[in-house]
Amino acid sequence: MTTATTGTSPAALYPRYLHCLAEADEPAAVEVARELLDAGVPADRVLLDLVAPAQAEVGERWARNEWSVAQEHAATHVSERVVASIAAYANPRGDRGRIVVACMDGEWHALPARLVAEVLRLRGWQVTFLGASVPAAHLVSYLHRHDAYAVALACALPMRLPQAHRMIEACQRSDVPVVVGGRGFGADGRWARRLGVAWAPDGPTAADLLGDERVLRAVAPADLAHLADDEYAGLVGRRGELIDSALADLAQRIPGFGDYTPAQLDSTVSDLGYILDFLAAALYVDDGSLFTEFVDWLVTVLASRGVPAAAVGATLRHYAGVLHDFPRAGAYVRAGGASLPAAGRRHSQSPEA
């Protein structure tokens, strides 16, 4: 095998690869990856230094409203085909134990998990990739029928943490070690530690963890005593009612609300629900920073679509008012409002808003 040169490094070919994604040009994207492989770049470096950062940029372009959902999906499909091509080129023959890789129930961002699955294969593991949104019961049923050494679970969105915990517990009850990864567990894995599970920031680290079962199992138990206050369960139980009340509040505040198209109304309902889902996840792990980080991200995304921060501030103020019997939730919502840009913060705190 030849030695890779600077001109054929993932960094050098990244702009070309990103252009292929922008054009949804699958053959050209595969050609870029094959060029790197033929030049001697290890398959795992092509996956981690080319495909992974390009896919992250795809998500950022959607967030900045530069790409539509359709463009994002087309680019993701191209990257999935590139990953398959890299796997076929490397064609690893695993002789280590079987690792089952899956995404959390409700988690549809499957490409990061697929990248981890392929890195594990390259490290000699036999891998079964179950794909996106695997229900906990189906995962456990699969584990009962197949002899798995361990399970690797991916979660991209923190709002899925309660579901993630149920899946983690189901695997642990089956006496199958678990390692988790993805942005949903926090940049430093702090919410994985709260849920009592081993965490890896990337595929190579996951492979190292899986190679030491003692370390994999030596994690502190979940620390969720705060759930005894029933705030999480209460918020989840009132989700529909809270969305309805927020819609009614918006109808009073926004003169043209009654003229919203069905698509605009659906987007508004989704955003109101996401706010509650992230708030519920923050309650579940007892960390208000989870909600504040979400509010910062939401404001950025909505601003790129012409929605001012003041609109988010008004909704946070409404939720803070109706959640007066939820001390932790109310504190998190107020902290989220305090993180808004000045105009939006004044709107969220003003009694007349």
Side-chain angles (χ1 to χ4, degrees):
M1 181 176 287
T2 58
T3 301
T5 63
T6 302
T8 53
S9 69
L13 297 189
Y14 175 81
R16 188 172 133 205
Y17 181 76
L18 199 56
H19 177 74
C20 295
L21 297 187
E23 297 298 317
D25 191 340
E26 178 185 325
V30 170
E31 182 181 336
V32 172
R34 290 295 294 262
E35 187 175 326
L36 290 169
L37 294 167
D38 289 340
V41 178
D44 61 342
R45 296 328 312 170
V46 180
L47 292 169
L48 298 173
D49 298 339
L50 180 74
V51 179
Q55 190 60 26
E57 176 60 20
V58 167
E60 289 300 319
R61 291 187 179 189
W62 170 84
R64 296 192 299 263
N65 203 29
E66 296 172 9
W67 282 12
S68 67
V69 171
Q71 288 173 296
E72 182 208 2
H73 286 187
T76 299
H77 172 73
V78 171
S79 283
E80 288 171 344
R81 299 298 299 160
V82 170
V83 172
S85 176
I86 295 170
Y89 183 100
N91 193 26
R93 301 294 183 181
D95 56 4
R96 304 175 76 178
R98 179 164 300 281
I99 310 297
V100 174
V101 180
C103 294
M104 303 297 177
D105 192 3
E107 177 58 73
W108 297 99
H109 297 81
L111 185 57
R114 175 71 188 279
L115 291 172
V116 171
E118 297 307 331
V119 169
L120 293 177
R121 283 196 180 98
L122 291 167
R123 298 298 179 91
W125 295 97
Q126 301 175 63
V127 177
T128 299
F129 179 57
L130 300 184
S133 190
V134 180
H138 292 210
L139 175 59
V140 171
S141 176
Y142 187 89
L143 294 177
H144 286 166
R145 292 198 304 269
H146 301 274
D147 185 23
Y149 170 80
V151 174
L153 298 175
C155 180
L157 299 174
M159 72 176 185
R160 303 291 181 199
L161 286 172
Q163 295 93 321
H165 188 220
R166 288 192 285 273
M167 292 188 74
I168 292 164
E169 286 187 315
C171 294
Q172 292 173 337
R173 284 195 296 269
S174 299
D175 198 33
V176 179
V178 183
V179 62
V180 300
R183 294 181 180 181
F185 292 100
D188 58 358
R190 59 189 182 277
W191 300 319
R193 291 188 290 274
R194 175 70 80 175
L195 299 182
V197 66
W199 171 80
D202 50 40
T205 307
D208 292 341
L209 264 176
L210 290 166
D212 190 337
E213 185 176 357
R214 180 186 59 81
V215 174
L216 193 60
R217 292 182 180 272
V219 293
D223 181 12
L224 300 173
H226 52 274
L227 293 179
D229 67 9
D230 286 333
E231 282 204 36
Y232 166 76
L235 182 68
V236 171
R238 291 181 57 187
R239 184 179 188 275
E241 169 195 336
L242 291 167
I243 291 175
D244 288 342
S245 70
L247 280 173
D249 182 67
L250 287 173
Q252 291 182 340
R253 292 176 181 277
I254 302 176
F257 185 79
D259 297 324
Y260 271 27
T261 65
Q264 288 175 316
L265 187 58
D266 285 346
S267 293
T268 300
V269 170
S270 294
D271 290 339
L272 295 174
Y274 287 144
I275 291 173
L276 294 175
D277 293 340
F278 275 87
L279 179 59
L283 289 172
Y284 198 87
V285 297
D286 195 31
D287 188 346
S289 70
L290 186 157
F291 185 71
T292 301
E293 290 173 11
F294 162 72
V295 170
D296 292 344
W297 174 85
L298 180 64
V299 167
T300 300
V301 170
L302 293 180
S304 72
R305 289 154 174 80
V307 180
V312 177
T315 296
L316 293 181
R317 176 182 177 276
H318 172 77
Y319 278 149
V322 297
L323 292 172
H324 55 84
D325 290 334
F326 292 70
R328 284 197 295 135
Y332 295 168
V333 172
R334 289 189 293 274
S339 74
L340 294 173
R345 185 165 63 250
R346 287 196 300 271
H347 198 128
S348 70
Q349 294 175 343
S350 170
E352 291 79 22

